[in-house]
Amino acid sequence: MSGSTFGRLFRVTNFGESHGPAIGCVIDGCPPGLPLAAEDLQPDLDRRKPGTSRHVTQRRESDRVEILSGVFRGEATGTPIALLIRNEDQRSSDYDSLVDTFRPGHADYTYWRKYGRRDPRGGGRSSARLTAPMVAAGAVAKKWLRLQYGTVIRGCLQQLGPIEIPFVSWDEAESNAFFAPDASIVPQLEAQMDALRRSGDSCGARLRVCASGMPVGLGDPLYDKLDADIAYAMMGINAVKGVEIGAGFGAVVQLGSEHGDELLPQGFGSNHAGGVLGGISTGQDLEVSIAIKPTSSIRLPRRSINARNEAVTVATHGRHDPCVGIRATPIAEAMLALVLVDHALIDRAQNGDVRLDTPPIPAHP
Amino acid sequence: MSGSTFGRLFRVTNFGESHGPAIGCVIDGCPPGLPLAAEDLQPDLDRRKPGTSRHVTQRRESDRVEILSGVFRGEATGTPIALLIRNEDQRSSDYDSLVDTFRPGHADYTYWRKYGRRDPRGGGRSSARLTAPMVAAGAVAKKWLRLQYGTVIRGCLQQLGPIEIPFVSWDEAESNAFFAPDASIVPQLEAQMDALRRSGDSCGARLRVCASGMPVGLGDPLYDKLDADIAYAMMGINAVKGVEIGAGFGAVVQLGSEHGDELLPQGFGSNHAGGVLGGISTGQDLEVSIAIKPTSSIRLPRRSINARNEAVTVATHGRHDPCVGIRATPIAEAMLALVLVDHALIDRAQNGDVRLDTPPIPAHP
Amino acid sequence: MSGSTFGRLFRVTNFGESHGPAIGCVIDGCPPGLPLAAEDLQPDLDRRKPGTSRHVTQRRESDRVEILSGVFRGEATGTPIALLIRNEDQRSSDYDSLVDTFRPGHADYTYWRKYGRRDPRGGGRSSARLTAPMVAAGAVAKKWLRLQYGTVIRGCLQQLGPIEIPFVSWDEAESNAFFAPDASIVPQLEAQMDALRRSGDSCGARLRVCASGMPVGLGDPLYDKLDADIAYAMMGINAVKGVEIGAGFGAVVQLGSEHGDELLPQGFGSNHAGGVLGGISTGQDLEVSIAIKPTSSIRLPRRSINARNEAVTVATHGRHDPCVGIRATPIAEAMLALVLVDHALIDRAQNGDVRLDTPPIPAHP
Amino acid sequence: MSGSTFGRLFRVTNFGESHGPAIGCVIDGCPPGLPLAAEDLQPDLDRRKPGTSRHVTQRRESDRVEILSGVFRGEATGTPIALLIRNEDQRSSDYDSLVDTFRPGHADYTYWRKYGRRDPRGGGRSSARLTAPMVAAGAVAKKWLRLQYGTVIRGCLQQLGPIEIPFVSWDEAESNAFFAPDASIVPQLEAQMDALRRSGDSCGARLRVCASGMPVGLGDPLYDKLDADIAYAMMGINAVKGVEIGAGFGAVVQLGSEHGDELLPQGFGSNHAGGVLGGISTGQDLEVSIAIKPTSSIRLPRRSINARNEAVTVATHGRHDPCVGIRATPIAEAMLALVLVDHALIDRAQNGDVRLDTPPIPAHP
């Protein structure tokens, strides 16, 4: 895992800027024989893409992915799979006024100081648009995990600003553009979004991502722990400020007798660990929760500086999501899938010969 | 960053088990010329080591570190620095009954299923003892950061079980064995620990780690973001279940107009970002918060299984901390230091020629 | 350096197959500010491309490279530079008879056994066509090295089958399609090629690559030695079977008093080391020599097997170079450039603060 | 593979200097269950160690290796295996006169310019002594390869200065301190060494290393080719100046019809490829040949400079091998073993599910 490449054996190298000619990625290390076509990647890209409802950015991108290599006659060949997505709707003029100005809460300032220059159009490299190739790569990972282990990865919105969303079912989460697992709350969420849009402000969100049907034994005991790599992957998603595994920050006020999940022959007694013990998967559901900060691009005027350290006022009028968390569900799912496939390959490299007489205990009693 | 090696340019390879002959690490990539002696590493090792108060494990380890290589006439030479710490107090018999039994909340089960075998003595590789080499390596990183940029890394206890600890000063945090930044609360913390010990239970904790005097521009825009690598480093510490940067989960209920830190010529208006924007350091204080689960080894009996999937009861009578969070402060500081020195080297590799006319704005107005 | 990614800080991820829609690469870690346009890459691509003379494959590819990202207003921004080359002349039908048959000397058999499948069109991933993105990436590296240090990388043909070619000048090497540093020998080389084409056979070659204007101090003392990474890079070029640094295999019969290059205040007394001592560059010219095997695709019938282990006869009638060595010069230059830029960045990461009072001695007395 | 760490999944991190307290390495990623004890490593260490005959350095080192971690009850546990070798015979005073002087042919000058300082005792990090941990790690790799695939790795001396040594048998190579595969030539070799010692000079050597019983399918098609990684490993051994696979430089004058090994149902018709096609192992014997330069430390006076660029004369009177190639055989075997085990693990990570109906053809007809 280095620079713009994610993963050690299942490696995804991401490229592109928001307003350049194209974005994409190269997936290296995919096991050969995986049935694969662009149609496998499109559904998740469609779940992520802008313009799906009036509550997300109205930028129009078809986000059609082209497979340039690594697939022959409908199967992965084992060689690098290059994915290309052309940028279509590049209203660069929206950003003309920003060339020299740093938007609060954005990467503008840090980027400029690091590289001495930046591509101001749409956040350039720091744009959420770059999550599209992550989602496409994640779809490849998801498919392999499902075929190999029956592992299924799903995500949903847990909280939108102050509104906590009860969990009804994964199916409900897929029934609305908010990925809210309780569809009945959607009118309330829409009202919240409308209010934000009127006021020119934005809000944060909390998401849950879960992998069920997990193999036991993924992860290293030190440093490359499964939960450490998940934290890396999640915190690497744009706007994420916090990551929890299992009980997360709730564990601070738990007693040991409450937190420690009992093991029973018929299955684990609880899942406060969130599916990881000592950095290694238990076979229980992997439970991850992330905090997403409010969108930085807002219409309300903010104080800032320009490249000459002079005071300026910034108000952003581009097409932005009042809550970036809404579209983040497929992204978080994708990143979790990428971590899991990488660890699955690493684990079988080292431990492919390990045989035990007793089967793993069930995830649930 | 792979397996037991942490970092890409400043690389620390950790080895050893709790009850083997020795533990240690190899630091590769340290800039030459850094003044270095075992005395530089000992203070942090002493802050971490067991037996410092009656509230932590009474295992007696002197944790004396020996520098085996990479230092000549008091300076790092640029070649690998090998650090060795001999294990002294190895009461392996404490663990005889556990060879075949999996302690709830421990890595015993996952470890055994992954490798088909395990070293049951003291948690083997999963023992918190393996954080000693991390702390030693972190002391090298801390020294380099301080000499190079004036960066100072400090940590403290924010919460012990239900008890929230006000922040008075960093000096107070160093005045007591709890690293509590308000010394007046120590009697309350001691009462909490005594109660836990009596009941045979344990509790969780929340820690804060902070780097001040930060250089601007550390971190990559995608994947290897500074905050992503911090999340990886922190979640990789034993018992950590959650990581926050800046406002963290609090950002969920913030408005964009509140969260986005304004930039003023005289300095940043606030620090909800926690010192990172778009994965790159802003020069503000790096603010990290972590959740530590309650110690899994408790005296209270718990239900579990053995290697034949048979039901058993486990009660742990070894010498364990009722709250592992107490000793975790120097560990979290060390891991943060390791992330920062690695990113500092990576940044100057790529951007060593970048020159700007205007200086960075101050961290604080 | 892993899988299809070359380099640690200046990383090139290669993708594509000979007969897929496109080939290309992603360059991650390029220092920002490097002036860059497609025109910088095209000259080396043109030196490598097929169809430049009647002595190389007549496959017609324009090899026009498109920069998809990482360049803004004529400068590298510091983010991934994606390069795309569309495949144009894909006569896949030439390969229909080979789907099930393994050509001797080719990767067909090993590839199929490794992955359980293969893309038989033009060697798929193993095609020399995949050296085009290497050459494009190498052109970026060359430009940076030249601007940063004045380092110049050149290559030439030393031997074509039995014909040894005297070194007259680098300029002569650029005056003919063979990269022969003695233009007067070209008629002899052409006769050799014509004879091979008539007989349906092929021959090997020996190449020299040289970097002059070298910085001192690139390379690590162990494992990641500069010469080790050069050997890796060169042996990784299609058809290469041997690599020498400096005196190479000639060192076997040298005495120590002859081989060891004396250091004089006015410069090195000789360069048997080839510019590397103890894995670290001396500042002398880097001298590398490589052996290239004869083209495996020949018209003469050979015995082989098919996927059912049955005996077959194979004769290759596609458009192939009778000596792949002829077009390998720009490829070898590119790979050397990639090694050097990577080591230059790694060196300044660790040793950016090293200052010495005395200047390096000259490369030549 | 980065810095002092060799390998991607089976990773060996080397540390230590010639005259520090200890040298050693950490092996990370070893498959669990491998039966392992110090006795498995000692035979190869003894084959490499100084003082075995009057023709090699008389420095006295017992080279006893201590296993510090990663082995429990005689088996590798899957966690890092730390190996420690204490330095015993450290006559540092031999080097006092060299603190400020650069020996021709040595790393002294490059090392000093890179790091701005160096440990002059015995070459410090650049000493051949650091090959001892490589040999120890290689012994672990050898054992795993033998038990897993029946792969056997052997080496021998092919040429000592001008004396070419016929190959009689691998057994003969183990019968003498020169690793000469024709024992009858030993008196001639001894005479050569005696003459060199009298004249105060040194000579080069050529070695052969061979892996038989090879699995098919190890290696990647691009960049991380098996032969590329072998070249990296071999060129990384102290004093190596050239590497060949199979026909090597001999391929330059071969015709394609001669070089390309025919595939027959009963086995390969020849092995000019040296066991690798397209970067992937064929199952034939891996054939590697390396050139070793003459020892740089000689008694004959040479011209050189000191740290102030002043002219000096250097004559080395320490205890040095007149031909370092003599002791290099077990080192080259070890490095080949490390490459193979790493590629074996990488291959089964990606291709562990590949199944073919036909068996590989035999290595030999």
Side-chain angles (χ1 to χ4, degrees), chain C residues 123-153:
Chain C
R125 182 75 180 147
S126 305
S127 165
R129 178 139 186 75
L130 272 307
T131 58
M134 296 186 202
V135 166
V140 179
K142 277 180 177 180
K143 185 163 188 184
W144 188 81
L145 290 166
R146 186 161 42 79
L147 295 178
Q148 188 78 10
Y149 303 112
T151 305
V152 174
I153 296 172

Side-chain angles (χ1 to χ4, degrees), chain D residues 178-245:
Chain D
F178 291 91
F179 300 96
D182 174 1
S184 71
I185 210 168
V186 167
Q188 201 178 330
L189 303 177
E190 291 186 323
Q192 159 84 354
M193 296 302 279
D194 288 338
L196 285 171
R197 208 165 5 250
R198 275 193 301 272
S199 65
D201 216 329
S202 62
C203 77
R206 175 195 274 264
L207 263 65
R208 173 189 173 196
V209 204
C210 174
S212 53
M214 278 290 299
V216 188
L218 306 193
D220 281 346
L222 214 98
Y223 293 151
D224 278 342
K225 297 181 169 196
L226 184 61
D227 37 2
D229 277 340
I230 292 172
Y232 166 82
M234 295 295 154
M235 197 67 92
I237 298 173
N238 306 43
V240 170
K241 300 303 289 181
V243 181
E244 295 180 318
I245 308 287

Side-chain angles (χ1 to χ4, degrees), chain A residues 46-262:
Chain A
D46 291 344
R47 289 169 75 218
R48 188 214 73 96
K49 87 173 173 196
T52 53
S53 81
R54 67 188 167 90
H55 305 296
V56 298
T57 173
Q58 293 307 301
R59 177 174 172 161
R60 293 284 164 195
E61 292 285 1
S62 64
D63 278 359
R64 305 303 304 180
V65 65
E66 182 186 5
I67 299 178
L68 294 179
S69 65
V71 175
F72 183 61
R73 297 185 178 162
E75 283 185 344
T77 61
T79 58
I81 302 170
L83 304 179
L84 191 75
I85 300 171
R86 290 276 170 187
N87 288 326
E88 295 166 358
D89 186 3
Q90 309 161 24
R91 287 201 216 157
S92 298
S93 59
D94 281 0
Y95 302 95
D96 273 358
S97 62
L98 297 174
V99 175
D100 194 31
T101 299
F102 308 129
R103 293 167 296 172
H106 268 278
D108 298 349
Y109 174 74
T110 53
Y111 210 95
W112 174 72
R113 290 221 71 91
K114 181 181 187 73
Y115 296 112
R117 58 191 45 73
R118 67 191 177 92
D119 177 348
R121 300 167 302 166
R125 183 73 181 148
S126 304
S127 165
R129 177 139 185 76
L130 273 306
T131 58
M134 297 185 200
V135 165
V140 179
K142 277 180 176 179
K143 185 164 189 185
W144 188 82
L145 290 166
R146 185 162 42 81
L147 295 178
Q148 189 78 9
Y149 304 113
T151 305
V152 174
I153 295 172
R154 289 173 292 210
C156 64
L157 190 67
Q158 281 187 307
Q159 190 169 347
L160 182 75
I163 308 169
E164 294 189 37
I165 304 166
F167 183 83
V168 175
S169 78
W170 291 115
D171 283 349
E172 297 226 2
E174 291 301 314
S175 74
N176 59 85
F178 290 91
F179 300 97
D182 175 0
S184 71
I185 211 167
V186 168
Q188 201 178 331
L189 302 178
E190 292 185 323
Q192 158 84 353
M193 296 302 279
D194 288 338
L196 285 172
R197 209 168 2 252
R198 274 192 302 272
S199 65
D201 215 329
S202 62
C203 78
R206 175 195 274 264
L207 262 65
R208 174 188 172 197
V209 204
C210 174
S212 53
M214 278 291 298
V216 188
L218 306 193
D220 281 347
L222 215 96
Y223 295 152
D224 278 342
K225 296 181 169 194
L226 184 60
D227 37 2
D229 277 340
I230 292 171
Y232 166 82
M234 295 296 154
M235 197 67 93
I237 298 174
N238 305 43
V240 171
K241 299 304 288 181
V243 182
E244 295 179 317
I245 308 286
F249 280 89
V252 173
V253 293
Q254 287 181 318
L255 291 173
S257 56
E258 175 191 6
H259 178 86
D261 305 309
E262 292 187 315

Side-chain angles (χ1 to χ4, degrees), chain D residues 66-365:
Chain D
E66 182 186 4
I67 299 178
L68 294 179
S69 66
V71 175
F72 184 61
R73 296 184 179 163
E75 282 185 343
T77 60
T79 58
I81 303 170
L83 304 178
L84 191 75
I85 301 171
R86 290 274 170 189
N87 288 327
E88 295 166 358
D89 186 3
Q90 310 162 24
R91 286 200 216 156
S92 299
S93 59
D94 281 1
Y95 302 95
D96 274 357
S97 61
L98 297 173
V99 174
D100 194 32
T101 299
F102 308 129
R103 294 166 296 173
H106 268 278
D108 299 350
Y109 173 73
T110 54
Y111 209 96
W112 174 72
R113 290 221 70 92
K114 181 181 187 74
Y115 297 112
R117 57 192 45 76
R118 67 192 178 91
D119 177 348
R121 300 166 303 166
R125 181 74 180 147
S126 305
S127 166
R129 178 141 185 75
L130 272 306
T131 57
M134 297 185 200
V135 165
V140 179
K142 277 180 175 181
K143 185 164 188 185
W144 188 82
L145 290 166
R146 185 163 42 80
L147 295 178
Q148 189 78 8
Y149 304 113
T151 305
V152 174
I153 296 172
R154 287 172 294 210
C156 65
L157 190 66
Q158 280 187 308
Q159 189 169 346
L160 181 75
I163 309 169
E164 295 189 36
I165 305 166
F167 184 83
V168 175
S169 78
W170 291 115
D171 283 349
E172 296 225 2
E174 291 301 313
S175 74
N176 60 85
F178 291 91
F179 300 96
D182 174 1
S184 71
I185 210 168
V186 167
Q188 201 178 330
L189 303 177
E190 291 186 323
Q192 159 84 354
M193 296 302 279
D194 288 338
L196 285 171
R197 208 165 5 250
R198 275 193 301 272
S199 65
D201 216 329
S202 62
C203 77
R206 175 195 274 264
L207 263 65
R208 173 189 173 196
V209 204
C210 174
S212 53
M214 278 290 299
V216 188
L218 306 193
D220 281 346
L222 214 98
Y223 293 151
D224 278 342
K225 297 181 169 196
L226 184 61
D227 37 2
D229 277 340
I230 292 172
Y232 166 82
M234 295 295 154
M235 197 67 92
I237 298 173
N238 306 43
V240 170
K241 300 303 289 181
V243 181
E244 295 180 318
I245 308 287
F249 281 89
V252 173
V253 293
Q254 287 181 318
L255 291 173
S257 55
E258 176 190 5
H259 178 86
D261 306 308
E262 293 187 314
L263 296 89
L264 312 171
Q266 64 272 30
F268 284 88
S270 54
N271 188 11
H272 297 112
V276 191
L277 284 176
I280 303 171
S281 67
T282 62
Q284 295 178 279
D285 289 358
L286 256 180
E287 290 285 357
V288 183
S289 182
I290 59 177
I292 297 184
K293 72 176 184 180
T295 312
S296 301
S297 296
I298 56 175
R299 229 172 50 234
L300 290 173
R302 312 292 322 278
R303 293 180 297 168
S304 189
I305 57 168
N306 62 20
R308 292 171 302 284
N309 279 7
E310 299 161 340
V312 298
T313 298
V314 177
T316 315
H317 295 287
R319 301 153 297 171
H320 299 284
D321 296 347
C323 176
V324 284
I326 296 179
R327 287 165 55 207
T329 293
I331 303 166
E333 293 170 9
M335 294 312 288
L336 184 56
L338 291 175
V339 171
L340 293 182
V341 68
D342 198 39
H343 272 283
L345 298 183
I346 289 168
D347 181 61
R348 80 179 187 185
Q350 186 181 19
N351 303 301
D353 298 320
V354 170
R355 300 284 176 272
L356 290 172
D357 292 333
T358 49
I361 59 172
H364 311 281

Side-chain angles (χ1 to χ4, degrees), chain C:
Chain C
M1 301 192 179
S2 67
S4 298
T5 297
F6 186 92
R8 288 171 287 157
L9 290 185
F10 191 96
R11 292 174 298 278
V12 185
T13 300
N14 183 300
F15 66 86
E17 282 93 27
S18 175
H19 288 63
I23 59 176
C25 66
V26 182
I27 304 169
D28 195 15
C30 182
L34 180 71
L36 201 63
E39 293 73 50
D40 291 309
L41 318 179
Q42 209 58 51
D44 270 343
L45 281 168
D46 290 345
R47 290 168 76 218
R48 189 215 72 96
K49 85 174 174 196
T52 54
S53 81
R54 67 189 167 86
H55 305 296
V56 299
T57 174
Q58 294 307 302
R59 175 173 174 164
R60 292 285 165 192
E61 292 285 359
S62 64
D63 279 358
R64 303 305 302 180
V65 66
E66 181 185 6
I67 299 179
L68 294 179
S69 65
V71 175
F72 183 62
R73 298 186 177 161
E75 283 184 344
T77 61
T79 59
I81 303 169
L83 303 179
L84 191 75
I85 301 170
R86 291 274 170 189
N87 288 326
E88 295 165 359
D89 185 4
Q90 310 161 24
R91 288 201 216 154
S92 298
S93 59
D94 281 0
Y95 301 95
D96 273 359
S97 62
L98 296 174
V99 175
D100 194 31
T101 300
F102 308 130
R103 293 165 298 172
H106 267 278
D108 299 350
Y109 173 74
T110 54
Y111 210 97
W112 174 72
R113 291 221 69 92
K114 181 181 188 72
Y115 296 112
R117 58 191 46 73
R118 68 190 177 92
D119 177 348
R121 301 165 302 165
R125 182 75 180 147
S126 305
S127 165
R129 178 139 186 75
L130 272 307
T131 58
M134 296 186 202
V135 166
V140 179
K142 277 180 177 180
K143 185 163 188 184
W144 188 81
L145 290 166
R146 186 161 42 79
L147 295 178
Q148 188 78 10
Y149 303 112
T151 305
V152 174
I153 296 172
R154 289 173 293 209
C156 65
L157 190 66
Q158 281 188 307
Q159 189 169 345
L160 182 75
I163 308 169
E164 296 189 35
I165 304 166
F167 183 83
V168 175
S169 78
W170 291 114
D171 282 348
E172 296 226 0
E174 291 301 313
S175 74
N176 61 85
F178 291 92
F179 300 95
D182 175 0
S184 72
I185 211 168
V186 167
Q188 201 178 331
L189 303 178
E190 292 186 323
Q192 159 83 354
M193 296 302 280
D194 288 338
L196 285 172
R197 207 165 6 249
R198 275 193 301 274
S199 65
D201 215 329
S202 62
C203 78
R206 175 196 275 262
L207 262 65
R208 173 189 173 197
V209 205
C210 175
S212 54
M214 279 289 298
V216 188
L218 306 193
D220 281 346
L222 216 98
Y223 294 151
D224 278 342
K225 295 181 169 195
L226 184 61
D227 38 0
D229 277 339
I230 292 171
Y232 165 82
M234 295 295 153
M235 197 68 93
I237 298 173
N238 306 44
V240 170
K241 301 302 289 181
V243 181
E244 294 180 319
I245 309 286
F249 280 89
V252 173
V253 293
Q254 287 182 317
L255 291 173
S257 55
E258 176 191 5
H259 178 87
D261 305 309
E262 292 186 316
L263 297 89
L264 312 173
Q266 65 271 31
F268 283 90
S270 54
N271 189 10
H272 298 111
V276 191
L277 284 176
I280 302 171
S281 67
T282 62
Q284 295 178 278
D285 289 358
L286 257 180
E287 289 286 356
V288 183
S289 182
I290 60 176
I292 296 184
K293 71 176 185 181
T295 311
S296 300
S297 295
I298 55 176
R299 229 171 51 234
L300 291 173
R302 312 292 322 276
R303 292 179 298 168
S304 189
I305 58 168
N306 62 20
R308 291 170 303 283
N309 279 5
E310 298 161 342
V312 297
T313 297
V314 177
T316 314
H317 295 287
R319 301 153 296 169
H320 299 284
D321 296 345
C323 177
V324 283
I326 296 179
R327 285 167 54 207
T329 293
I331 304 167
E333 292 170 8
M335 295 311 288
L336 185 56
L338 291 174
V339 171
L340 293 183
V341 69
D342 198 40
H343 272 283
L345 297 183
I346 290 168
D347 182 62
R348 79 179 189 184
Q350 185 182 19
N351 303 302
D353 297 321
V354 171
R355 299 286 177 271
L356 289 172
D357 294 331
T358 49
I361 59 172
H364 311 280

Side-chain angles (χ1 to χ4, degrees), chain B:
Chain B
M1 301 193 179
S2 66
S4 299
T5 297
F6 186 93
R8 288 170 289 157
L9 289 186
F10 191 96
R11 291 175 298 278
V12 184
T13 300
N14 183 299
F15 66 85
E17 282 92 28
S18 175
H19 288 64
I23 60 177
C25 66
V26 182
I27 304 168
D28 195 15
C30 182
L34 180 70
L36 201 63
E39 294 73 51
D40 291 310
L41 318 179
Q42 209 57 51
D44 271 342
L45 281 168
D46 290 345
R47 289 168 77 217
R48 187 215 72 97
K49 87 174 173 195
T52 53
S53 80
R54 67 189 166 87
H55 305 295
V56 298
T57 174
Q58 294 306 302
R59 177 173 172 165
R60 293 284 164 194
E61 293 284 0
S62 65
D63 279 359
R64 303 304 303 180
V65 66
E66 182 185 5
I67 299 179
L68 294 179
S69 65
V71 176
F72 183 61
R73 298 187 177 160
E75 284 185 342
T77 60
T79 59
I81 301 170
L83 304 178
L84 191 75
I85 300 170
R86 290 277 170 187
N87 288 326
E88 295 165 359
D89 186 3
Q90 310 161 24
R91 288 200 215 156
S92 299
S93 59
D94 281 359
Y95 301 95
D96 273 359
S97 62
L98 296 174
V99 176
D100 195 30
T101 299
F102 308 128
R103 293 167 297 172
H106 267 278
D108 298 349
Y109 173 74
T110 54
Y111 210 96
W112 174 72
R113 291 221 69 92
K114 180 180 188 73
Y115 296 112
R117 58 192 45 73
R118 68 190 177 93
D119 178 348
R121 302 166 302 165
R125 182 75 180 146
S126 304
S127 166
R129 178 141 185 74
L130 272 307
T131 57
M134 296 185 200
V135 166
V140 179
K142 277 180 176 180
K143 185 164 188 184
W144 189 81
L145 290 166
R146 185 162 43 80
L147 294 178
Q148 190 77 10
Y149 304 113
T151 305
V152 174
I153 295 172
R154 288 172 294 209
C156 65
L157 191 66
Q158 282 188 305
Q159 189 169 346
L160 181 75
I163 309 169
E164 295 189 36
I165 304 167
F167 183 83
V168 175
S169 77
W170 291 115
D171 282 348
E172 296 225 3
E174 291 301 314
S175 74
N176 61 84
F178 291 92
F179 299 97
D182 174 1
S184 71
I185 210 167
V186 167
Q188 201 179 332
L189 302 178
E190 291 186 323
Q192 158 84 351
M193 296 303 280
D194 288 338
L196 285 171
R197 210 166 3 250
R198 275 193 301 273
S199 64
D201 214 329
S202 62
C203 77
R206 174 195 275 263
L207 262 64
R208 173 189 172 197
V209 205
C210 175
S212 52
M214 279 289 298
V216 188
L218 306 193
D220 281 346
L222 216 98
Y223 294 151
D224 278 342
K225 296 181 168 195
L226 184 61
D227 38 0
D229 277 340
I230 292 171
Y232 166 83
M234 294 296 153
M235 197 67 93
I237 297 174
N238 306 43
V240 171
K241 300 303 289 182
V243 181
E244 294 180 317
I245 308 286
F249 280 90
V252 173
V253 293
Q254 287 181 317
L255 291 173
S257 54
E258 175 190 6
H259 178 86
D261 306 308
E262 292 187 313
L263 296 89
L264 312 172
Q266 64 271 32
F268 283 90
S270 56
N271 189 11
H272 298 112
V276 191
L277 285 175
I280 303 171
S281 66
T282 61
Q284 294 178 278
D285 289 358
L286 256 180
E287 289 286 355
V288 183
S289 182
I290 60 177
I292 297 183
K293 72 176 185 181
T295 312
S296 300
S297 295
I298 55 175
R299 229 172 50 233
L300 290 173
R302 313 293 321 277
R303 293 180 297 170
S304 188
I305 57 168
N306 62 20
R308 292 171 301 285
N309 278 6
E310 298 161 343
V312 298
T313 298
V314 177
T316 315
H317 295 287
R319 301 154 297 170
H320 299 284
D321 295 346
C323 176
V324 283
I326 296 180
R327 286 166 54 209
T329 293
I331 304 166
E333 292 170 8
M335 296 312 288
L336 184 57
L338 291 174
V339 171
L340 293 183
V341 68
D342 199 39
H343 271 283
L345 298 183
I346 290 168
D347 181 62
R348 79 179 188 185
Q350 186 182 18
N351 303 302
D353 297 322
V354 171
R355 299 285 176 273
L356 288 172
D357 293 332
T358 49
I361 59 172
H364 311 282

